[in-house]
Amino acid sequence: MIEIRYGDREQHSMTVDYRKAEPRGLTGPDRPLGLDPDPGRWPHPSTLTFDQAAHLGRAPAWVREALGAELGAWYGAESRRLSAEHERLARDAAEEGRGRILASSDALRKRQRARYHADAWANLLSVNVPGILEMREVGG
């Protein structure tokens, strides 16, 4: 078993009571695996080693919730940006008489990849990320 420490804090168990932790900004030794502040640059969770996944899974609740907050902000901005890009492409196509773009635009594929990325990280971190759960419930 690997020893996991976050700054001067002790190792935490896998089970924690969520929503009781106060998320705060992650810097220095509190930032697990040296993750970039931009969640879009995080590796996909399926590429992590067992030890890396365990490192994240045993992080204190406030660390996981802080990462979840970063993930939620990134996903919300990315989803809005890509939806707007799709709307613009669909509008341009209609104005130019090229027909309608329904569900095959590059922007929609990128939005779907962003959703899968965010969903995988939310599951790994065991946190509820706003916008992700709603997408799971409606299947979209």
Side-chain angles (χ1 to χ4, degrees):
M1 180 74 150
I2 58 173
E3 180 180 348
I4 301 165
R5 295 189 54 85
Y6 290 87
D8 60 352
R9 296 172 183 85
E10 293 181 11
Q11 182 170 328
H12 289 252
S13 66
M14 295 289 275
T15 307
V16 295
D17 292 328
Y18 293 102
R19 299 284 176 227
K20 300 202 181 207
E22 287 294 322
R24 47 192 184 260
L26 295 173
T27 59
D30 291 329
R31 192 152 196 89
L33 306 180
L35 290 174
D36 193 287
D38 175 6
R41 295 182 183 187
W42 294 355
H44 191 274
S46 66
T47 65
L48 298 177
T49 66
F50 177 81
D51 285 347
Q52 290 171 323
H55 187 77
L56 287 164
R58 299 211 42 150
W62 72 268
V63 170
R64 287 185 272 176
E65 289 189 7
L67 290 171
E70 290 176 3
L71 185 63
W74 169 81
Y75 176 72
E78 197 67 4
S79 182
R80 286 187 300 276
R81 182 183 71 78
L82 292 169
S83 291
E85 182 180 328
H86 171 74
E87 291 299 322
R88 182 188 56 78
L89 291 171
R91 193 173 43 254
D92 290 351
E95 287 173 2
E96 295 171 7
R98 292 185 281 134
R100 294 176 47 188
I101 297 175
L102 297 177
S104 62
S105 79
D106 190 45
L108 286 183
R109 284 191 296 278
K110 286 179 184 175
R111 189 176 78 180
Q112 187 176 33
R113 278 195 303 272
R115 179 187 164 248
Y116 289 140
H117 182 77
D119 188 43
W121 272 100
N123 285 334
L124 178 67
L125 296 170
S126 297
V127 295
N128 181 23
V129 177
I132 301 295
L133 181 60
E134 294 82 4
M135 294 294 286
R136 281 189 217 147
E137 289 173 352
V138 298

